[in-house]
Amino acid sequence: GARARRQDRDNGQARSHAAMLHHAAVDLPYLTADLPGTGGLLRAAPEDFVVDEVPAYPPNGTGDHVFVRIEKRGLTTSQAVQRIARALGAGERDVGVAGMKDRHAVTRQWLSLPPPITPEAALAFADPDVRVLEATRHDHKLRTGHVRANRFVLRVRDAVPEAVARARAILDVLAGPPGAPNWYGEQRFGRDGDNAARGRAIVMGEKPPRAGDGAGRASPVPRDRKLARLLVSALQSELFNQWLVARMADGLYARVLAGDVLHKHGDGMFTCEDAATDEARLAAGELVVTGPMFGATMRSAAGDAGAREDAILAAAGLAQGSFASVSRIAEGTRRDASIQVGEAGVAASDETVEVRFTLPGGAYATAVMREIMKC
């Protein structure tokens, strides 16, 4: 009886934590809450969401690999890779990808193709949803994260009459230091919004939430390593979002705490020892505060900043050591709390509002657009 009661209690706590993760995935504050949004509809058509990847370096013109710049429409990056690999006789794992791009969009990005594929063969590839725009040789495979930035041209339809002025006012705030909140968008958490809860079950070695318990759709803990990595990454992402929510709620978004792990632009990370000095550098746009992507090898904050991170874990029923069991698929790292919004501009075009900006690799355009649209 006592054992059964403890099991019921533990199951209830697991469901409570899972429900909290599911709810928090979509419950985010606005940095520009005092500025009215444009309203309207984004992504009414793929052409309304255009992304152009800026590579970390250009191909050098020599070598066994072939760098290709593709344009895809209505496909995920994985689906585009699959079509190209099958047509050219390459293994999908041998195709290099710097970053994943949106499906419901027109996106241009770089891939690398393995030998013996030639630039001529790549340029001859034909598909109604994927085009090869350029093909140049390079001496190594393209690696994940080798993205300098992404340029976005986004069109909002059915916005309010004052939309252009409203969007400009909001972008003026987001373009200044410390920048826009670096949220993980809803697409990170799966169609049913339960990826983080499923990731927590993997971390804790528990059975996943059952259907009807308020914690999401039932699904078995996957044996697929790639899927397990995706689900645990969703948990890490949700905990980061919760950490950032707490910083904003406590008025600490544009503040520095002693013990914060800070990231100097174009350089490495360091732990803050002089909050006043580093806060002035934050205001000047020289550095950013980083938040936790929890894992066994993550660099933890210290002092009060570290205590805030521990509190986020505790609220989810986790601890620093909880990720040891998944250290091979979720090592842990730090993520910038804010992102620089560059090359920002707004214009009215064909009964739409066209918003342009550039974000660093790994940042979500939807995190900026939710501030602008507020709907």
Side-chain angles (χ1 to χ4, degrees):
R3 182 177 181 179
R5 286 193 296 273
R6 285 195 301 271
Q7 185 65 50
D8 288 343
R9 179 197 63 197
D10 293 342
N11 289 341
Q13 290 175 342
R15 289 194 295 270
S16 176
H17 293 312
M20 177 191 70
L21 292 171
H22 177 74
H23 173 71
V26 295
D27 188 16
L28 304 175
Y30 293 114
L31 178 66
T32 58
D34 57 331
L35 296 175
T38 65
L41 177 65
L42 183 64
R43 290 200 234 231
E47 292 77 13
D48 291 347
F49 201 102
V50 179
V51 188
D52 207 331
E53 181 181 270
V54 182
Y57 47 83
N60 57 27
T62 62
D64 293 333
H65 294 264
V66 175
F67 274 28
V68 295
R69 183 169 176 257
I70 68 167
E71 179 181 277
K72 65 179 183 65
R73 180 188 308 262
L75 298 175
T76 66
T77 298
S78 296
Q79 290 169 333
V81 166
Q82 184 181 68
R83 293 190 186 188
I84 293 171
R86 287 180 177 177
L88 299 180
E92 291 179 38
R93 292 186 177 183
D94 296 326
V95 177
V97 178
M100 307 304 284
K101 297 293 180 285
D102 296 78
R103 175 181 180 179
H104 302 291
V106 175
T107 68
R108 293 179 282 271
Q109 67 181 111
W110 287 87
L111 311 176
S112 70
L113 305 177
I117 296 173
T118 65
E120 292 76 18
L123 288 169
F125 169 80
D127 185 279
D129 303 312
V130 188
R131 292 194 300 148
V132 174
L133 306 176
E134 302 176 47
T136 309
R137 288 193 177 275
H138 194 66
D139 55 9
H140 63 73
K141 181 180 179 180
L142 185 61
R143 302 296 180 184
T144 301
H146 287 191
V147 178
R148 179 175 299 170
N150 290 297
R151 293 193 178 99
F152 297 90
V153 179
L154 311 178
R155 297 180 181 90
V156 180
R157 300 178 184 271
D158 300 326
V160 300
E162 306 84 4
V164 170
R166 291 185 178 188
R168 284 175 179 160
I170 293 168
L171 279 171
D172 284 345
V173 175
L174 301 181
N182 197 13
W183 303 116
Y184 279 103
E186 291 182 9
Q187 57 267 52
R188 186 78 167 189
F189 305 107
R191 182 185 62 186
D192 299 317
D194 63 350
N195 280 4
R198 294 170 64 192
R200 183 185 180 279
I202 294 173
V203 168
M204 298 300 290
E206 301 169 346
K207 292 184 178 180
R210 295 175 298 176
D213 64 5
R217 180 174 55 86
S219 177
V221 175
R223 296 180 180 179
D224 184 319
R225 182 184 177 92
K226 185 176 181 180
L227 179 56
R229 183 189 295 272
L230 173 70
L231 297 178
V232 174
S233 175
L235 171 63
Q236 294 171 303
S237 303
E238 182 48 48
L239 294 172
F240 171 87
N241 274 6
Q242 291 181 15
W243 170 86
L244 187 49
V245 167
R247 290 283 293 217
M248 293 180 69
D250 293 339
L252 298 174
Y253 179 70
R255 303 292 304 274
V256 174
L257 298 175
D260 268 331
V261 179
L262 305 176
H263 181 198
K264 183 179 178 182
H265 291 303
D267 206 343
M269 297 185 186
F270 66 96
T271 300
C272 172
E273 297 180 356
D274 183 344
T277 297
D278 288 332
E279 194 166 298
R281 298 175 68 192
L282 175 69
E286 297 178 15
L287 51 79
V288 295
V289 177
T290 69
M293 292 291 289
F294 292 107
T297 62
M298 184 195 77
R299 179 173 181 170
S300 297
D304 290 343
R308 296 182 68 88
E309 294 182 5
D310 290 341
I312 295 299
L313 283 173
L318 301 168
Q320 290 285 2
S322 297
F323 288 85
S325 63
V326 293
S327 60
R328 297 185 66 180
I329 61 172
E331 300 86 353
T333 186
R334 306 291 303 187
R335 177 177 172 86
D336 290 353
S338 55
I339 47 177
Q340 294 179 306
V341 180
E343 304 175 7
V346 186
S349 174
D350 300 328
E351 299 182 354
T352 67
V353 175
E354 185 176 277
V355 182
R356 296 173 176 260
F357 51 81
T358 300
L359 298 179
Y364 287 78
T366 49
V368 175
M369 292 307 296
R370 68 181 298 275
E371 291 276 355
I372 292 173
M373 298 172 67
K374 293 190 172 68
C375 60

